Amino acid sequence: MKNNYAYGSLESYLDFGTLAFPIRWDAIFGNARPLELEIGFGTGEYLVGIAAAAPQTNFIGFEQDTKRIIKTLRKIHEAQLTNVRVMSVDARAGVEELFGPDALQKIHCLFPCPWPKKRHAKNRLFSSDFLKLMNTRLINGGVLKVVTDHAPYVAWIKENIPGSGFSVEARVIPPTYRTKFEKKWQESGQAEFYELVFTKMSAVLVEEKERGIMQKYLIAKADPAQAVFENLVGRVCVEFKEPLFDAARGQGMVLAIVTEDKRTQYLWIMIEQTPKGWRVGAAQGLNILPTEGVRLALVKARDAYENSGHA
């Protein structure tokens, strides 16, 4: 029977809200083959092509645009690939939280947004810190490939290479990759593009942050309608909003906006009455990375609900 869904199949889509951390990629793929990552796979032409050409390698793709993810899932389904998984996740958070040291053989990033305006420079990928982080995730001798249409972006990236542990080969290339964005620039008259190939020559030290634990807490006594939530301000910021409670059902929730390391996550925290007490934890089905900020948000919500029982 023909599959008429726009995405073809969801078998290749990973919702990290349902994954157990730390992630075991060998368990997800059912084998321990080499692992490669594409950051920002767009509509999937390149990702599907390299995965089809290397069936003995497993591929992960990051993308945040839902329409592009759907188009890529369709391509994966039509190509009958089993060695690809795609995720909706920010590149920085994904590289840091989803992979351990020396997990990746290769990282690909074609036509990332160059954020050309100076005031937007903070949004650019491949800063010194991000290059060092990717160094830790690549195996010794692993490769990072970046392709862009924007010469000033190349110059900026080169300024961030010292101390990253990479050697780099830069070259001007003709249209080569046949992606949607390359075709777009080519049709507008651009005939030259820029390819940077980084090779990990030495390991750099990057402090590994504590992974948050999506823990559930049990409270003996609580009055959720009276809970007072204290925000957290600092390197990790947690702002609580919209507390809700249904006394008849014995259920409530509060929204925690967690900001840390240039990323923001929206975490709904549930409280539910059970025969053993009040259970507090993250709502199910959320695309939430278990970062330090998420852990702290859960702890502060637990404390607020627990204190409400003694008011």
Side-chain angles (χ1 to χ4, degrees):
M1 182 180 295
K2 184 178 179 180
N3 189 324
N4 291 318
Y5 291 111
Y7 49 77
S9 170
L10 292 176
E11 291 182 6
S12 298
Y13 182 76
L14 284 183
D15 178 353
F16 54 73
T18 65
L19 298 176
F21 286 77
I23 293 178
R24 287 189 52 199
W25 293 107
D26 58 342
I28 288 173
F29 283 101
N31 59 68
R33 294 169 181 165
L35 189 63
E36 298 188 14
L37 167 69
E38 183 180 7
I39 295 173
F41 55 74
T43 50
E45 298 88 354
Y46 179 70
L47 179 62
V48 169
I50 58 176
Q56 298 304 310
T57 299
N58 295 326
F59 294 86
I60 304 295
F62 289 171
E63 178 58 67
Q64 291 187 285
D65 186 284
T66 301
K67 291 182 180 179
R68 295 173 187 171
I69 292 172
I70 289 172
K71 290 178 180 180
T72 300
L73 286 171
R74 166 62 73 177
K75 290 182 175 71
I76 294 169
H77 174 69
E78 291 176 346
Q80 300 183 5
L81 299 176
T82 60
N83 61 332
V84 187
R85 300 292 186 274
V86 298
M87 305 181 74
S88 176
V89 62
D90 171 77
R92 295 180 184 86
V95 171
E96 182 173 16
E97 302 290 343
L98 301 179
F99 302 104
D102 306 317
L104 295 165
Q105 187 174 48
K106 197 169 185 178
I107 301 173
H108 311 254
C109 188
L110 275 58
F111 304 102
C113 181
W115 294 97
K117 295 182 180 180
K118 188 174 181 179
R119 68 178 182 272
H120 295 151
K122 63 183 180 181
N123 297 318
R124 295 171 186 161
L125 285 178
F126 312 113
S127 65
S128 175
D129 287 345
F130 191 52
L131 285 173
K132 290 175 182 176
L133 175 64
M134 287 192 290
N135 175 292
T136 68
R137 296 323 190 231
L138 284 164
I139 63 172
N140 191 35
V143 170
L144 161 67
K145 178 164 65 176
V146 180
V147 180
T148 180
D149 62 292
H150 197 66
Y153 188 34
V154 173
W156 180 86
I157 293 174
K158 288 181 177 179
E159 293 174 358
N160 285 275
I161 294 173
S164 66
F166 287 110
S167 66
V168 63
E169 178 183 351
R171 63 192 185 109
V172 178
I173 61 173
T176 302
Y177 292 97
R178 301 183 61 79
T179 69
K180 176 181 177 180
F181 289 106
E182 184 184 70
K183 292 176 184 177
K184 177 182 177 181
W185 308 136
Q186 188 179 4
E187 289 171 359
S188 68
Q190 185 156 344
E192 294 183 339
F193 297 89
Y194 309 95
E195 182 184 74
L196 298 172
V197 178
F198 299 77
T199 302
K200 179 176 174 179
M201 305 302 293
S202 61
V204 298
L205 294 177
V206 172
E207 182 181 358
E208 291 290 338
K209 297 175 183 177
E210 180 179 359
R211 297 294 196 277
I213 300 175
M214 302 287 270
Q215 185 171 344
K216 285 183 167 51
Y217 298 98
L218 194 65
I219 299 171
K221 185 179 179 181
D223 185 358
Q226 302 302 316
V228 177
F229 299 91
E230 294 185 4
N231 295 334
L232 179 65
V233 178
R235 184 181 64 81
V236 175
C237 295
V238 179
E239 182 180 4
F240 289 99
K241 290 183 176 291
E242 304 178 26
L244 305 169
F245 181 64
D246 185 333
R249 294 187 177 184
Q251 294 180 333
M253 61 171 52
V254 62
L255 174 64
I257 303 175
V258 182
T259 305
E260 55 189 317
D261 298 332
K262 300 179 182 179
R263 78 182 68 141
T264 298
Q265 300 194 87
Y266 295 84
L267 170 67
W268 281 101
I269 300 173
M270 298 285 298
I271 184 167
E272 181 179 21
Q273 192 169 26
T274 74
K276 296 182 179 180
W278 292 89
R279 184 168 56 229
V280 178
Q284 293 183 340
L286 299 176
N287 272 349
I288 295 293
L289 288 166
T291 61
E292 179 187 5
V294 167
R295 179 182 65 82
L296 291 173
L298 287 167
V299 169
K300 291 192 74 68
R302 176 205 62 188
D303 292 346
Y305 284 125
E306 192 168 38
N307 291 336
S308 73
H310 303 292

